[in-house]
Amino acid sequence: MWTGKVITEGLEASKAQSALSVTQAKGVTGGAPGAEQAAEEVTSRNARQNWLVVMSLLVCGVGITNSMLMSVTERFREIGTMKCLGALDQFIVRLFLIESVVLGFLGR
């Protein structure tokens, strides 16, 4: 639901920005021929770029989630050893969150 809200807000902001650029284009050029078509092309290009950004972030999020899930399932013995040595759940979770953040920044 949060992702849908973010997408909706992004599209509304894009529409508002496109409408502003159209009014500026009409004001500067005085309603020159082709200004509306150029503004529509800019609007469609912005919408496509926003869609690509949202989809790529979604794919990255799924990829990182999958990598971390596999990391946890492969290292359950290490996690058990850390727990036996007195590590708190909060420490282990923080360790995996730091790993996921680094993984996201490196883009692997």
Side-chain angles (χ1 to χ4, degrees):
M1 296 205 39
W2 179 76
T3 306
K5 181 180 176 185
V6 170
I7 292 170
T8 305
E9 289 175 355
L11 290 174
E12 288 175 2
S14 175
K15 288 178 185 177
Q17 184 180 10
S18 298
L20 180 64
S21 65
V22 168
T23 57
Q24 289 176 349
K26 286 183 179 179
V28 172
T29 61
E36 289 183 20
Q37 183 180 7
E40 289 175 8
E41 288 177 14
V42 168
T43 303
S44 66
R45 188 176 331 126
N46 287 340
R48 260 181 287 168
Q49 287 176 348
N50 288 341
W51 177 251
L52 285 175
V53 167
V54 167
M55 290 306 295
S56 63
L57 287 176
L58 186 64
V59 168
C60 289
V62 169
I64 290 172
T65 302
N66 187 31
S67 296
M68 294 311 298
L69 178 65
M70 293 306 297
S71 178
V72 169
T73 55
E74 289 174 355
R75 296 195 287 176
F76 71 94
R77 288 185 183 153
E78 294 175 24
I79 294 169
T81 304
M82 286 191 286
K83 294 284 289 175
C84 287
L85 292 174
L88 300 173
D89 290 340
Q90 190 177 32
F91 174 76
I92 295 171
V93 169
R94 190 177 303 151
L95 193 68
F96 281 100
L97 284 176
I98 289 170
E99 183 180 342
S100 66
V101 167
V102 169
L103 190 71
F105 279 126
L106 292 178
R108 290 185 159 200

